[in-house]
Amino acid sequence: MQTVLEEMDEENTGVSSSKEEIVLGQRLHISFPFSIIFSTVLYCAEVAFGLYMFEIYRKANDTFWMSFTISFIIVGAILDQIILMFFNKDSRRNKAALLFWHILLLGPIVRCLHTIRNYHKWLTNLKQEKEETQVSNKKRNTMLEREIAFSIRDNFMQQKAFKYMSVIQAFLGSVPQLILQMYISLTIREWPLNRALLMTCSLLSVTYGAIRCNILAIQISNDDTTTKLPPIEFFCVVMWRFLEVISRVVTLAFFIASLKLKSLPFLLIIYFVSLLAPWLEFWKSGAHLPSNKENNSNMVGTVLMLFLITLLYAAINFYCWSAVKLQLSDDKIIDGRQRWGHRILHYSFRFLENVIMILVFRFFGGKTWLNCCDSLIAVQLIISYLLAIGFMLLFYQYLYPWQSGKVLPGHTENQPEAPYYEKTEKNKNKQLRNYCHSCSRVGYFSIRKSMTYS
């Protein structure tokens, strides 16, 4: 049987025939998109509860709380739409319809439903393809093969896009919303159920985004190899991230509630240290940005992209450890090696910052809002952060996949495995060229070398 690529129009697929190859004899198992459904449910719940709180603040004439609540909702939702559109290079004819849903901020829901439908379509086509293997209908088999490959491509691209959307939503939308609602509760000394639900959704979103950072970092350190975390390792990561996020966020909320606007300089210093650290290291290394005299816009675009990457990198490190080290002087941008020095330095400074903020809360503002022992709360926050560090040390010392052999060989994150079509013995050793979209290798803030040095 001839390759499907020879019968397809390259203009419709958006990929030249020189792209990556698929070797027969491997089977791709597309699992049900639970992660996409979970991300979509978190997105919908957070937006719904946020709008409900907005309506409550509007009826109570709390303009200040109402403005910040709706601002964080809109900013987070818009960023989610941008990420989904950026990582999904749609070649279908329904671009206008997808753009319309994204404008209405319903893009995640539509794409989630499309992925579920695409998964069931893939199962149906695969079953039908197996039933018709004995039928010598070359055109029919080619069409089934094409539909299966398109389903694989769409599923792969949606999975990739929702992973990055979870990280963006967590640290640029959910964390500010969580701190704001906690600050409001501390200020007015009320903990209503509706606000508690919004804070719970935001906390789940931040924890999930932090766990996703860990998984992406593991994949980068193992050359983008898919990693399978058993229950013990996964439980350790969940406890580590949950304790780290909750202790950091509560500490920030108490600190802001204690000093109000006076806390802003201290917080800005912390953020700008994380923001400028990669650039200072880049300047100290003596590296130079790529220069192109013929097209200066490429260099400007590269600098802008690097600046946006460092903004997100600093935002993540402000609340929890990003699990990677940003190196602007390197072509790959992200250092895939596991550096204990960088890890220890980060947690040492964050622990010191937490202690300072907790002491400020204890001596300057705790008794104003809480009806319990302030010293006990301060000790609990410190112990929670120390427990998070303990789970982190346990994971990297004994449960890290690279050391415990949990890496699945031969299956990369940036390239889906090849589908297996049990044809005749003559076709078993043939190769098919991958006519799926070859997504840009953006593995967790990374930029392709061709983009950086174009």
Side-chain angles (χ1 to χ4, degrees):
M1 187 183 67
Q2 298 178 353
T3 60
V4 183
L5 181 64
E6 296 174 354
E7 301 183 10
M8 292 187 63
D9 186 3
E10 293 181 1
E11 184 178 357
N12 293 332
T13 61
V15 180
S16 64
S17 60
S18 62
K19 295 295 180 184
E20 304 169 7
E21 296 181 349
I22 289 181
V23 182
L24 291 176
Q26 296 178 343
R27 176 184 293 274
L28 174 65
H29 175 70
I30 299 181
S31 58
F32 189 77
F34 289 106
S35 61
I36 293 180
I37 295 177
F38 184 71
S39 299
T40 306
V41 170
L42 281 180
Y43 170 83
C44 296
E46 194 169 1
V47 171
F49 287 124
L51 292 176
Y52 183 63
M53 288 306 304
F54 166 78
E55 181 66 17
I56 292 178
Y57 294 144
R58 188 187 66 83
K59 291 181 179 179
N61 294 324
D62 293 330
T63 308
F64 188 77
W65 309 134
M66 178 190 69
S67 302
F68 276 99
T69 301
I70 193 63
S71 298
F72 291 143
I73 293 173
I74 294 177
V75 169
I78 291 177
L79 290 176
D80 290 342
Q81 314 306 314
I82 294 175
I83 288 297
L84 289 179
M85 290 188 293
F86 177 78
F87 283 101
N88 283 273
K89 307 297 183 181
D90 296 292
S91 61
R92 299 182 295 271
R93 298 179 180 179
N94 55 352
K95 287 184 178 180
L98 283 174
L99 180 61
F100 172 75
W101 291 116
H102 280 296
I103 293 176
L104 296 180
L105 304 181
L106 297 177
I109 301 176
V110 175
R111 290 189 181 274
C112 178
L113 295 176
H114 171 76
T115 304
I116 297 175
R117 174 179 173 273
N118 185 65
Y119 173 77
H120 289 289
K121 183 179 179 181
W122 173 77
L123 291 177
T124 303
N125 290 333
L126 190 61
K127 181 179 179 181
Q128 187 176 1
E129 192 270 342
K130 289 180 180 179
E131 293 175 353
E132 297 185 2
T133 52
Q134 304 299 328
V135 180
S136 59
N137 190 341
K138 182 187 300 184
K139 184 176 180 180
R140 177 60 181 171
N141 292 340
T142 301
M143 292 298 298
L144 284 175
E145 201 168 279
R146 177 184 301 178
E147 291 178 1
I148 292 173
F150 272 127
S151 299
I152 294 172
R153 183 211 65 176
D154 288 341
N155 183 278
F156 163 67
M157 293 178 66
Q158 297 295 343
Q159 293 277 357
K160 188 181 183 69
F162 273 87
K163 289 177 183 178
Y164 295 109
M165 188 201 81
S166 300
V167 177
I168 299 296
Q169 177 183 350
F171 296 101
L172 297 182
S174 300
V175 171
Q177 187 73 265
L178 178 59
I179 295 177
L180 172 66
Q181 300 304 322
M182 190 172 296
Y183 173 79
I184 296 173
S185 300
L186 291 172
T187 303
I188 64 179
R189 288 176 286 180
E190 293 180 2
W191 300 83
L193 178 61
N194 43 26
R195 189 183 298 126
L197 292 174
L198 175 58
M199 292 168 59
T200 301
C201 292
S202 299
L203 179 60
L204 289 175
S205 177
V206 178
T207 305
Y208 181 69
I211 295 173
R212 181 59 63 186
C213 288
N214 275 96
I215 296 176
L216 292 174
I218 293 172
Q219 292 170 355
I220 291 174
S221 62
N222 291 283
D223 297 328
D224 297 325
T225 306
T226 298
T227 304
K228 180 181 179 180
L229 290 180
I232 297 179
E233 284 83 343
F234 185 75
F235 175 79
C236 184
V237 174
V238 170
M239 292 302 299
W240 160 28
R241 288 307 195 176
F242 176 79
L243 291 173
E244 181 183 7
V245 168
I246 192 66
S247 58
R248 178 70 174 180
V249 169
V250 173
T251 301
L252 287 171
F254 283 163
F255 178 71
I256 296 173
S258 301
L259 297 182
K260 298 187 182 300
L261 291 178
K262 295 180 181 179
S263 63
L264 188 60
F266 181 77
L267 299 178
L268 289 178
I269 291 174
I270 296 175
Y271 179 78
F272 278 103
V273 167
S274 300
L275 177 64
L276 298 178
W279 291 100
L280 292 176
E281 185 178 354
F282 172 79
W283 172 76
K284 184 179 179 181
S285 65
H288 299 281
L289 290 173
S291 59
N292 190 342
K293 297 180 180 180
E294 296 180 358
N295 189 0
N296 293 328
S297 61
N298 289 334
M299 186 176 66
V300 174
T302 299
V303 174
L304 180 60
M305 180 65 71
L306 292 177
F307 183 71
L308 293 177
I309 289 173
T310 53
L311 283 176
L312 179 58
Y313 177 76
I316 296 175
N317 279 316
F318 184 78
Y319 302 107
C320 65
W321 186 47
S322 60
V324 295
K325 187 177 186 299
L326 192 63
Q327 284 189 336
L328 301 180
S329 58
D330 192 359
D331 296 345
K332 296 181 179 179
I333 305 299
I334 298 297
D335 187 5
R337 294 170 292 180
Q338 296 297 325
R339 296 179 178 269
W340 276 101
H342 176 254
R343 198 175 302 140
I344 294 174
L345 184 66
H346 171 85
Y347 278 100
S348 298
F349 276 103
R350 289 296 176 264
F351 179 73
L352 180 61
E353 294 165 4
N354 285 359
V355 170
I356 293 175
M357 289 187 289
I358 289 172
L359 291 177
V360 171
F361 154 72
R362 172 62 183 84
F363 293 105
F364 291 95
K367 295 181 180 179
T368 307
W369 299 284
L370 301 175
N371 297 322
C372 56
C373 181
D374 304 328
S375 300
L376 179 60
I377 295 176
V379 172
Q380 287 177 344
L381 290 175
I382 295 176
I383 292 177
S384 298
Y385 200 78
L386 289 176
L387 286 176
I389 296 177
F391 277 107
M392 181 271 296
L393 295 175
L394 175 64
F395 175 75
Y396 280 104
Q397 186 66 27
Y398 300 105
L399 303 177
Y400 189 67
W402 184 79
Q403 297 172 344
S404 55
K406 303 298 187 302
V407 176
L408 301 180
H411 183 194
T412 61
E413 174 68 18
N414 289 324
Q415 176 183 339
E417 286 186 62
Y420 174 70
Y421 308 109
E422 294 180 341
K423 303 297 183 181
T424 62
E425 289 294 327
K426 179 179 179 181
N427 292 325
K428 275 188 177 181
N429 296 323
K430 284 188 177 182
Q431 294 181 341
L432 293 176
R433 295 189 177 275
N434 183 3
Y435 55 87
C436 304
H437 276 283
S438 180
C439 301
S440 300
R441 191 167 184 258
V442 195
Y444 192 50
F445 315 139
S446 62
I447 301 178
R448 294 181 60 186
K449 184 178 180 181
S450 60
M451 180 186 296
T452 309
Y453 290 92
S454 59

